[in-house]
Amino acid sequence: MQMLLNRLECIELELQNHLAATKYEQRLVEKWNTILETQEKEEESAVILGRRKEDLVRKAKEYHEELKTVLKNMPEAPRITVTRLKEQEKKNKTKEQVLRAKRAKIKAFKGLPPVSPFLWSFCYHFYQP
């Protein structure tokens, strides 16, 4: 009977070792399966990325063509710059002020009687600018 128990213990130990070895092999298989699956996904994602790149390049070319047509249809650059425009505005403003002053003088002299030629020549000689 003792021999039978010893033999059963030996078989049990052998089965436990075999179980541990198969568990280890199963973990290795699972590890390699996950690695292979990720590589397949990466390859698929590489294909997807390649397609996306081609789509983006095609879209970029379309946009570039649109830009070319828009630039062709745009008017030429303006001949005047902002600084020149500001200078012209200042000149116009001073001319307007001069005109206002002249209009005010005309308005002031409008109701007066005409000046005689003698008085006119007299004023002209003394008040020459």
Side-chain angles (χ1 to χ4, degrees):
M1 186 76 156
Q2 186 66 30
M3 246 169 87
L4 187 60
L5 286 175
N6 286 339
R7 196 165 190 207
L8 285 175
E9 277 182 39
C10 191
I11 292 173
E12 183 181 358
L13 227 128
E14 192 177 316
L15 285 174
Q16 285 178 354
N17 285 338
H18 185 64
L19 179 65
T22 53
K23 283 184 179 180
Y24 174 74
E25 288 173 359
Q26 183 181 3
R27 279 184 297 211
L28 282 176
V29 168
E30 288 173 357
K31 177 183 171 186
W32 280 107
N33 278 338
T34 56
I35 290 172
L36 290 174
E37 286 174 1
T38 56
Q39 284 179 349
E40 287 176 3
K41 288 180 183 177
E42 287 175 0
E43 289 173 1
E44 289 175 3
S45 64
V47 170
I48 292 171
L49 287 175
R51 287 181 189 157
R52 281 188 192 164
K53 181 182 175 184
E54 291 171 1
D55 291 341
L56 286 174
V57 167
R58 190 174 343 103
K59 267 295 192 198
K61 287 180 181 177
E62 289 176 14
Y63 287 145
H64 188 68
E65 292 299 320
E66 277 185 47
L67 178 65
K68 280 183 181 179
T69 56
V70 166
L71 289 177
K72 281 182 185 177
N73 295 333
M74 287 199 51
E76 293 180 18
R79 295 180 205 152
I80 188 166
T81 61
V82 175
T83 54
R84 288 183 62 197
L85 180 66
K86 288 292 183 183
E87 289 172 1
Q88 187 63 40
E89 285 178 354
K90 286 180 184 177
K91 288 178 184 176
N92 290 346
K93 199 178 241 186
T94 56
K95 285 182 180 179
E96 284 179 25
Q97 289 173 352
V98 169
L99 281 175
R100 282 190 204 132
K102 287 182 180 179
R103 285 181 186 145
K105 285 181 184 178
I106 290 172
K107 191 175 182 182
F109 286 108
K110 212 172 197 181
L112 296 176
V115 179
S116 68
F118 174 74
L119 190 59
W120 182 255
S121 65
F122 177 75
C123 289
Y124 182 74
H125 288 292
F126 285 107
Y127 295 106
Q128 278 187 345

